[in-house]
Amino acid sequence: RQRLMENARRRLREFDVGDKFSRLPLPRAAVLLPLLVRGGRLHLLLTVRSMQLRRSPGEVCFPGGKREATDKDDIDTALREAKEEVGLQPEKVEVICRLMPGIDKMNNLVTPVVGFIEGTFQATPNPDEVSEVFVVPLDYFVKPLNYKTLSYKTSSGYITRMHCFIYDDQEHKKSFKIWGLTAQFAVFLALVIFGERPTFEVDYDLDNLISSSENYFNNLYASIYERKKSNL
């Protein structure tokens, strides 16, 4: 277990973006990518959004949300939201890094914060926000059993590839659909940690993952920025 975690820490720190993108003029949000070890394998904890929520009810996502004025940084946002949504205490998270951000459909800049949590963690979902909590082996995001790709056009007209995974959860006896930005972050995390080629196509040059992921983000951001300028 310790070796598995140490190898993951080492790989993740190479990809830490810190606050490199903090000056971009977009509203900010952050999500926590909680890693845990179970049965000798790395797993990711995910949530299902409550059906009562106005935006994306019933969709799979990571704990997270919009930045509040009292948050010091993206790490603060991610940890606060994880506590509110699934009862994960901030001091129980070993924060490792911040990975390349994404841009959601509301044009929020979303930063994924990666942290280790105990394999024994028992979530206490806040029913106003979260209906279910489940875990997926991280290697499912490079070697899935049920996967398809969708062509996706962003609000700014940028065409990109959207990953869509169906994961059959034995514990819950049901299937979960993981797609959109959540799937994008999970795939990137798995690529970083395992350093191997997935069984499907991705938008990155896997031999130059750091620079190609930055190029991908810069192109996406440029398309939004151009759209904003043309609307002025």
Side-chain angles (χ1 to χ4, degrees), residues 32 75-76 78-80 82-83 87-95 115-118 121:
L32 183 67
I75 294 170
D76 244 23
L79 294 178
R80 175 183 53 74
K83 182 183 177 184
L88 178 60
Q89 298 300 322
E91 64 272 14
K92 298 283 188 187
V93 183
E94 181 203 345
V95 174
F116 273 113
I117 63 173
E118 285 297 328
F121 170 68

Side-chain angles (χ1 to χ4, degrees), residues 34-228:
L35 280 171
L36 57 150
V37 180
R38 282 191 188 165
R41 292 167 82 190
L42 284 170
H43 287 69
L44 255 184
L45 181 138
L46 292 141
T47 69
V48 180
R49 287 172 65 82
S50 164
M51 292 306 290
Q52 304 165 35
L53 291 171
R54 207 162 37 102
R55 200 162 65 82
S56 308
E59 287 196 6
V60 169
C61 64
F62 291 111
K66 283 191 171 179
R67 189 162 181 171
E68 292 186 358
T70 50
D71 297 336
K72 284 203 310 288
D73 55 20
D74 300 314
I75 294 170
D76 244 23
T77 303
L79 294 178
R80 175 183 53 74
E81 289 280 351
K83 182 183 177 184
E84 289 171 12
E85 291 179 14
V86 297
L88 178 60
Q89 298 300 322
E91 64 272 14
K92 298 283 188 187
V93 183
E94 181 203 345
V95 174
I96 308 295
C97 69
R98 283 170 277 187
L99 293 179
M100 188 64 63
I103 298 171
D104 69 12
K105 51 192 175 218
M106 311 297 289
N107 285 347
N108 293 304
L109 183 78
V110 186
T111 298
V113 177
V114 185
F116 273 113
I117 63 173
E118 285 297 328
T120 53
F121 170 68
Q122 293 292 317
T124 49
N126 172 352
D128 294 336
E129 300 195 44
V130 171
S131 62
E132 286 178 276
V133 177
F134 65 104
V135 299
V136 181
L138 184 62
D139 56 20
Y140 195 80
F141 296 106
V142 283
K143 292 176 181 167
L145 297 173
N146 191 337
Y147 169 87
K148 63 181 177 185
T149 185
L150 311 166
S151 179
Y152 176 68
K153 193 174 187 178
T154 67
S155 60
S156 57
Y158 187 68
I159 307 276
T160 182
R161 180 186 281 120
M162 186 183 282
H163 306 292
C164 181
F165 300 86
I166 306 294
Y167 178 66
D168 294 323
D169 188 291
Q170 300 306 313
E171 189 185 339
H172 290 80
K173 300 284 186 284
K174 67 185 290 187
S175 297
F176 294 101
K177 178 184 176 185
I178 306 161
W179 65 306
L181 199 55
T182 301
Q184 182 187 317
F185 287 156
V187 168
F188 189 68
L189 179 67
L191 291 175
V192 167
I193 288 178
F194 297 124
E196 60 182 73
R197 293 187 178 274
T199 57
F200 51 88
E201 293 289 314
V202 289
D203 288 310
Y204 311 116
D205 172 1
L206 296 174
D207 297 319
N208 299 288
L209 194 51
I210 292 177
S211 58
S212 69
S213 62
E214 194 162 328
N215 288 341
Y216 173 82
F217 173 80
N218 286 337
N219 289 337
L220 182 61
Y221 175 70
S223 73
I224 287 165
Y225 192 69
E226 287 304 316
R227 169 85 179 256
K228 276 189 165 175

